Amino acid sequence: MAFPATRMRRMRATAPLRGLARETELAASHLVYPMFVVAGGEKRAPIASMPGIDHLSIDGAVEEAGIAHSLGIPAVLLFGLPAAKDELGTGAYDDEGVIQLATRAIKAAHPGLLVIADLCLCEYTSHGHCGVLRSDGVVDNDQTLELLARTAVSQAEAGADAVAPSDMMDGRVGALRAALDEHGLSETPIIAYSAKFASAFYGPFREAADSAPAEGDRRGYQMDPANAREAVREARLDEDEGADVLMVKPALPYLDVIRRIRESTELPVAAYNVSGEYAMIKAAAAQGLIDERAAVLEALTGIRRAGADIVITYHAKDVATWLQ
């Protein structure tokens, strides 16, 4: 995987991520497995809208990460559900927060597994938005950047192998890169949610992460599903600001966007096969309407064929098992 000359200083940092990205076939090595970690929760508690996916305690997350690792899945993506929420999402940048504790525990138990920390405030704010709200209910972009930078540093210092900003604030990749570099964390890669669309396919996730906005929606900072050219511009901006991987989310309704971004960059491209895409296949399979294995493998192969080097998917454990 070739990187532009201006990116060479962090080649060592991105080397583990490049191991995820191969050229053609679908393999376990292409997959990232998302997990929901709950502060003080039960070891495992099923998520009704996402059959086969559980809320996990920290001990449960260590166990689940070990299962994924044993199947050849090289990385997990952690989402945290804190014990308490507030207006500023302080649980996100608490050094003893749920993601920080889970990261330390997983890295101690499975040092060869990559831990990617999702970086956003929506799971931690009492209002459910991805940033700090002004008095008029609009997200304050610049104040949010300060808190996201604190979160990135806290997550990286806890041992996260990469941080993945999913907030879609303007300028956040540059702010995170500057903060990480300032704290001696210049080799921590940034996996940017570069083209994150305002999608109807996030519903099960918002239940799982308890992150639905209390009022309004996220269309002010997530992307219009009709605008593919803007997605390419956003990805290029993230690359210019120092992103190491560019992501498209969701995946299946945006295969054309994956292809456009793949053709515009030499960076690795990731695609997030999101909760709604997962739940649809699970529901259809439960009704006997489709062959789950065949449908999942076809869908993920399509995501790879569109140009994704890395596929983030809740199907990861099943796929890794089937491919064995």
Side-chain angles (χ1 to χ4, degrees), residues 112 149 169 231 276:
M169 298 297 116

Side-chain angles (χ1 to χ4, degrees), residues 38 195 222 229 248 265 301:
V38 181
Q222 293 181 356
R229 283 178 291 184
V248 178
T265 183
T301 297

Side-chain angles (χ1 to χ4, degrees), residues 174-210:
L176 300 184
R177 185 74 272 157
L180 290 166
D181 289 355
E182 182 181 343
H183 286 80
L185 299 163
S186 61
E187 295 189 359
T188 300
I190 297 173
I191 301 175
Y193 288 67
S194 300
K196 182 178 179 180
F197 290 87
S199 173
F201 289 92
Y202 299 151
F205 174 92
R206 289 175 178 169
E207 176 189 334
D210 189 25

Side-chain angles (χ1 to χ4, degrees), residues 1-5 7-8 10-12 14-24 30 239 243-246 261-270 304 307-310:
M1 179 63 62
F3 285 78
R7 312 287 295 115
M8 291 297 290
R10 289 202 306 284
M11 282 291 288
R12 284 187 300 157
T14 56
L17 297 175
R18 295 201 312 278
L20 290 167
R22 295 186 176 87
E23 289 298 326
T24 53
H30 301 129
E239 181 170 357
D244 299 280
V245 179
L246 307 175
I261 291 176
R262 169 71 286 152
E263 292 174 349
S264 73
T265 183
E266 293 297 319
L267 293 182
V269 174
R304 285 277 294 135
D309 303 294
I310 300 165

Side-chain angles (χ1 to χ4, degrees), residues 79 118-123 125 127-131 138-139 141 144 164-170 172 193-203 205-206 209 211-213 215-228 230-231 233-234 238 247-250 254 257 272 274-275:
F79 296 92
D118 181 79
L119 203 172
C120 193
L121 301 183
C122 62
E123 296 118 280
T125 53
H127 46 72
H129 279 280
C130 298
V138 175
V139 171
N141 192 93
T144 300
S166 59
D167 54 281
M168 290 298 287
M169 298 297 116
D170 291 339
R172 91 272 203 217
Y193 288 67
S194 300
K196 182 178 179 180
F197 290 87
S199 173
F201 289 92
Y202 299 151
F205 174 92
R206 289 175 178 169
S211 63
E215 294 184 11
D217 57 38
R218 296 178 179 145
R219 293 181 182 275
Y221 43 96
Q222 293 181 356
M223 295 186 57
D224 182 346
N227 199 340
E230 182 184 4
R233 289 198 301 272
E234 291 284 353
D238 283 354
M247 189 194 303
V248 178
K249 178 181 181 182
Y254 299 94
V257 176
Y272 200 142
V274 299
S275 60

